[in-house]
Amino acid sequence: EIVLTQSPATLSLSPGERATLSCRASQNISYYLNWHQQKLGQAPRLLIYDASNRATGIPARFSGSGSGTDFTLTISSLEPEDFAVYYCQQRNSWPLTFGGGTKVEIK
Amino acid sequence: EVQLVESGGGLVKPGGSLRLSCAASGFAFSSHYMNWVRQAPGKGLEWVSSISSSSTYIFYADSVKGRFTISRDNAKNSLYLQMNSLRAEDTAVYYCVRDPRLDNWGQGTLVTVSS
């Protein structure tokens, strides 16, 4: 099973600041890494697929990078609606696995 | 527009059974892998099971293997999860999700296992 480790667990930032979230895989997963956002009380939604591709309707301030074992989600300038929990997820092999999540909170 | 609507959740006693359903619309259901993902209260996301477009390939998390059965009916655009021998630790919101990319999520249905 591929283990995904997200850091930090919590990120305290102000609107307008840049957010950088990390996800590390326990083995090489090529580019098969997705990022999901979950707001309180809502279902998750896909932000980034295959490491760097924005999903339909996702604003350009969200970007993803990385390959192999190290991946990054960057939010260039935080909007009030971006404060949420972010999960990375790999689809390189079954079982599909998720990271533990990074909570982006208002400082 | 892709829509995934789960139903069938509720309160069940330990050892009991429940069948979840997911009605899909807005896309070619028979062409996509489908998945169940769950989230225990206050916890992270946990993949439960996946089924290929023609049901040829089926995968389960170790935590549910032998107790849960995933299935689909492409003629009805529907996905199912039969859950037997339920335990307290199965308490969660269960999401129906399209594709291994998990690119579209339903709103979820709550399953509570408690005496």
Side-chain angles (χ1 to χ4, degrees), chain A:
Chain A
E1 171 176 323
I2 295 170
V3 176
L4 298 178
T5 303
Q6 290 189 241
S7 62
T10 304
L11 202 49
S12 298
L13 295 168
S14 301
E17 288 193 295
R18 182 183 188 89
T20 303
L21 287 66
S22 174
C23 178
R24 176 163 290 178
S26 59
Q27 58 187 270
N28 187 344
I29 58 170
S30 185
Y31 57 85
Y32 296 116
L33 191 284
N34 305 322
W35 291 94
H36 303 269
Q37 176 195 63
Q38 187 176 32
K39 298 179 183 179
L40 193 63
Q42 296 185 18
R45 70 163 175 166
L46 178 67
L47 290 178
I48 301 287
Y49 66 92
D50 295 349
S52 61
N53 300 285
R54 276 189 301 277
T56 303
I58 301 304
R61 64 181 180 274
F62 292 93
S63 63
S65 63
S67 65
T69 60
D70 289 302
F71 301 86
T72 301
L73 173 69
T74 301
I75 311 172
S76 60
S77 178
L78 282 164
E79 297 287 339
E81 62 267 29
D82 299 337
F83 291 93
V85 180
Y86 294 83
Y87 295 95
C88 59
Q89 170 246 329
Q90 66 82 22
R91 68 174 186 97
N92 180 75
S93 61
W94 271 271
L96 305 181
T97 51
F98 291 91
T102 291
K103 181 180 181 181
V104 178
E105 65 176 23
I106 299 176
K107 186 174 182 180

Side-chain angles (χ1 to χ4, degrees), chain A residues 34 36 38 41-46 49-50 87 89-91 94-100, chain B residues 33 35 37 39 43-47 50 59-61 95 99-103 105-107:
Chain A
N34 305 322
H36 303 269
Q38 187 176 32
Q42 296 185 18
R45 70 163 175 166
L46 178 67
Y49 66 92
D50 295 349
Y87 295 95
Q89 170 246 329
Q90 66 82 22
R91 68 174 186 97
W94 271 271
L96 305 181
T97 51
F98 291 91
Chain B
Y33 265 79
N35 314 274
V37 174
Q39 187 170 36
K43 302 296 184 182
L45 301 170
E46 179 189 17
W47 169 78
S50 299
F59 305 93
Y60 295 103
Y95 295 101
D99 202 85
R101 290 180 182 174
L102 307 185
D103 61 3
W105 296 68
Q107 281 305 299

